[in-house]
Amino acid sequence: EWRDEAKKIRTYTPDVLVRYRTDLAECADWPPLLCEIKPNFDEKTESPRRRKPPRKENEAENRLKWAAAERYAVKHGWNFRVFREDDIRTPYLTNARFLLRYLEREPNRKFEPKLLEVLADKGPLTLGTWAGAIAHTPEERATVLPTCYWLIATQRVNTDLTTLLTLNSMVKELADA
């Protein structure tokens, strides 16, 4: 609950409560994170989406709601943070969505040993060159690429997922592999 500028009691529900995995050492002690996700426009800008009436942000009202959310989070031993869509809709999210399909069904793993051997022998390669090292026609490459994506998705090889994954993305073997 929070009080608006007219002192009327209102309710507010943030968008997301993130609970971190306790089985991973790097985040085992992180408190949950209560999150609000806001669009990339402010109170002076109308929503780019078609809405009747157009959605507008009320920054003064948002500050009151967020202060209440902060108090609620602290009371529960959590953190609170506001994110903008640009904070979330990143190349990393696009890559994660793309790679998820390769985690959901395992590819033909017969290419895995040769792909890993090529990276170990030749060092970092572009994704296209890596797949092309064992697939010499476009048809062959189409059968090898799912294994490449699966190796990336399962973190068997390394690439920069903060930039959009393309056939020009550099792929390398893991440092500890």
Side-chain angles (χ1 to χ4, degrees), residues 4 6 9 14 18 20 22 80 95 99 114 121 126 136 159 161-162 169 172:
D4 64 16
I9 295 177
V18 177
Y20 297 97
T22 56
F80 174 74
N95 291 333
L99 293 171
K114 186 65 177 166
D121 290 346
T126 66
H136 306 294
T159 190
L161 294 176
T162 63
S169 297
K172 60 184 180 180

Side-chain angles (χ1 to χ4, degrees), residues 50-96:
R50 293 182 192 163
R51 288 192 151 174
K52 302 279 189 213
R55 176 178 170 187
K56 291 192 173 207
E57 291 298 311
N58 183 330
E59 292 298 327
E61 184 176 284
N62 284 343
R63 281 192 294 280
L64 293 170
K65 290 191 294 188
W66 298 341
E70 178 76 35
R71 287 189 301 274
Y72 186 86
V74 167
K75 178 179 171 184
H76 288 84
W78 305 340
N79 292 323
F80 174 74
R81 183 162 171 211
V82 176
F83 292 91
R84 295 285 175 185
E85 285 179 336
D86 281 347
D87 297 326
I88 296 166
R89 297 186 192 285
T90 63
Y92 190 89
L93 177 63
T94 301
N95 291 333

Side-chain angles (χ1 to χ4, degrees), residues 56-169:
K56 291 192 173 207
E57 291 298 311
N58 183 330
E59 292 298 327
E61 184 176 284
N62 284 343
R63 281 192 294 280
L64 293 170
K65 290 191 294 188
W66 298 341
E70 178 76 35
R71 287 189 301 274
Y72 186 86
V74 167
K75 178 179 171 184
H76 288 84
W78 305 340
N79 292 323
F80 174 74
R81 183 162 171 211
V82 176
F83 292 91
R84 295 285 175 185
E85 285 179 336
D86 281 347
D87 297 326
I88 296 166
R89 297 186 192 285
T90 63
Y92 190 89
L93 177 63
T94 301
N95 291 333
R97 284 181 169 161
F98 173 75
L99 293 171
L100 183 61
R101 71 186 79 167
Y102 296 96
L103 287 176
E104 292 172 343
R105 57 180 164 17
E106 196 170 300
N108 182 341
R109 300 213 16 216
K110 72 179 183 181
F111 303 115
E112 179 183 347
K114 186 65 177 166
L115 285 166
L116 293 174
E117 181 183 314
V118 166
L119 274 186
D121 290 346
K122 296 187 179 184
L125 298 169
T126 66
L127 178 57
T129 302
W130 182 38
I134 67 168
H136 306 294
T137 67
E139 293 80 14
E140 289 175 345
R141 193 165 76 170
T143 63
V144 170
L145 276 170
T147 305
C148 296
Y149 295 136
W150 182 81
L151 289 167
I152 293 168
T154 56
Q155 300 177 355
R156 300 281 311 280
V157 298
N158 192 11
T159 190
D160 180 8
L161 294 176
T162 63
T163 60
L164 199 58
L165 186 62
T166 70
L167 292 176
N168 293 319
S169 297

Side-chain angles (χ1 to χ4, degrees), residues 39-57:
N40 293 324
F41 57 89
D42 59 22
E43 64 185 5
K44 297 173 189 74
T45 310
E46 286 188 5
S47 168
R49 296 187 182 111
R50 293 182 192 163
R51 288 192 151 174
K52 302 279 189 213
R55 176 178 170 187
K56 291 192 173 207
E57 291 298 311

Side-chain angles (χ1 to χ4, degrees), residues 14-43:
D15 294 318
V16 178
L17 177 61
V18 177
R19 293 185 187 273
Y20 297 97
R21 292 178 54 174
T22 56
D23 62 327
L24 298 176
E26 61 266 21
C27 59
D29 296 329
W30 293 0
L33 178 62
L34 190 61
C35 305
E36 176 67 20
I37 314 299
K38 297 309 289 177
N40 293 324
F41 57 89
D42 59 22
E43 64 185 5

